[in-house]
Amino acid sequence: MARQERAIRTRRTILEAAAAVFDERGYTSATIGEILERAGVTKGALYFHFGSKEELALGIFEEQLAISLPPQPSKLQELVDSGLVLALRLRTEPLVRASVGLALDQGALGLDRTPAFGMWIDQTRRTLAEAKAGGELLPHVDPTETAEVLVASFSGVQLLSQLRCQREDLEHRVVILFHHLLPGIAVPAVLARLDISENRAAGLVAQGRLEPVAEAG
C-alpha cells in the first residue's frame, strides 16, 4: 500500500511539473528534460508512468474530469454541478487550467487534442442520456448533439473570461450560460428545481473527491 501511495504521489508530481512547463513554454517547445528538472524525478520514474510527452498531455487532460461529486436526485442538477465545479477548478487548480490550455492550443504540434474534448463530451452525453431516460429532458433533445453544444459553449465562455479577467468571473458566466441553455432542453418542472448558483461549487468540491486516473499506455 505504501508503494502504491508513493507511486500515486510521484505521478501527481510529474503531472504538476508537466502542466507548469507546458503552460510556460507551450507544448511544442517543452522538453522532457525540463519536466524532469521541474519534477525532481529520474527519467526512469517518469517513463514508468508516461511513455511520451503526448501521454503526459493525455494525463493532464484526464485531470479535468478526475473528481467524483455527490450524487443528486436530478441528473440535470449533476450536469449543472459538474459545470460549476469545473469553473471553480479552472480558477484554482493549475492542472485543470493546463488541461484546457492544451486542448485549445492550436500550436501544439504533434498533439492529438481530440481526447480532451472527447472525454468531456462523452461524460456530458452520458449524464444527458440518463436525464432523458428519467424524463428530465424535452422530447426533441438529442443527448449527443446537446453535449457537443454544451462543451463548445463552455469552452467559449471560459476563453472569454480568461481574456477579459483571468477567469475571475467564470462561475458567474457559467451560471448565465446555464440560464440561457437549460430552458431549451429541460422539462419546466425539473428546471424550476435546479440550483444554479455561483456559490454552490465550493461546497460540492468540499464534499467530492478526486478519482484515481488510469495510467496512460
Side-chain angles (χ1 to χ4, degrees):
M1 182 63 70
R3 181 178 299 178
Q4 182 181 11
E5 291 175 355
R6 186 163 58 249
I8 291 172
R9 286 197 302 271
T10 299
R11 186 180 191 278
R12 181 79 179 184
T13 297
I14 294 168
L15 282 176
E16 289 174 348
V21 174
F22 289 154
D23 186 50
E24 293 167 12
R25 303 266 292 144
Y27 176 81
T28 302
S29 298
T31 68
I32 292 294
E34 290 172 310
I35 294 168
L36 288 173
E37 183 177 356
R38 183 71 61 94
V41 301
T42 66
K43 185 180 292 187
L46 186 148
Y47 282 113
F48 175 79
H49 293 281
F50 304 98
S52 64
K53 189 167 76 169
E54 187 168 7
E55 285 189 9
L56 272 168
L58 180 60
I60 292 171
F61 288 154
E62 290 169 336
E63 286 297 316
Q64 180 176 316
L65 305 176
I67 187 168
S68 177
L69 297 175
Q72 304 295 331
S74 163
K75 286 297 174 181
L76 276 184
Q77 184 66 65
E78 291 183 6
L79 181 73
V80 169
D81 290 351
S82 67
L84 294 173
V85 167
L86 179 56
L88 175 62
R89 296 179 74 209
L90 269 167
R91 283 201 307 103
T92 59
E93 296 183 26
L95 263 176
V96 179
R97 286 198 299 271
S99 173
V100 172
L102 283 170
L104 297 176
D105 183 3
Q106 297 184 24
L109 301 177
L111 175 62
D112 180 7
R113 294 175 292 141
T114 56
F117 288 102
M119 289 183 287
W120 188 5
I121 290 169
D122 191 52
Q123 183 187 70
T124 305
R125 179 196 58 76
R126 288 196 303 269
T127 303
L128 285 166
E130 291 179 42
K132 185 159 190 177
E136 297 182 40
L137 301 184
L138 296 171
H140 71 275
V141 176
D142 180 279
T144 299
E145 292 177 353
T146 305
E148 291 175 352
V149 169
L150 283 170
V151 168
S153 300
F154 189 104
S155 298
V157 163
Q158 74 82 27
L159 181 58
L160 179 61
S161 179
Q162 178 190 5
L163 293 173
R164 295 286 294 273
C165 59
Q166 294 299 305
R167 300 193 181 96
E168 288 182 5
D169 66 352
L170 184 53
E171 287 102 312
H172 177 66
R173 289 182 182 273
V174 170
V175 166
I176 293 173
L177 174 66
F178 280 131
H179 279 305
H180 277 77
L181 293 184
L182 289 177
I185 67 170
V187 171
V190 174
L191 181 65
R193 295 195 298 268
L194 296 178
D195 180 357
I196 311 173
S197 55
E198 294 179 39
N199 60 1
R200 182 174 173 83
L204 290 167
V205 169
Q207 296 175 61
R209 61 187 175 88
L210 288 175
E211 291 284 354
V213 176
E215 293 184 13

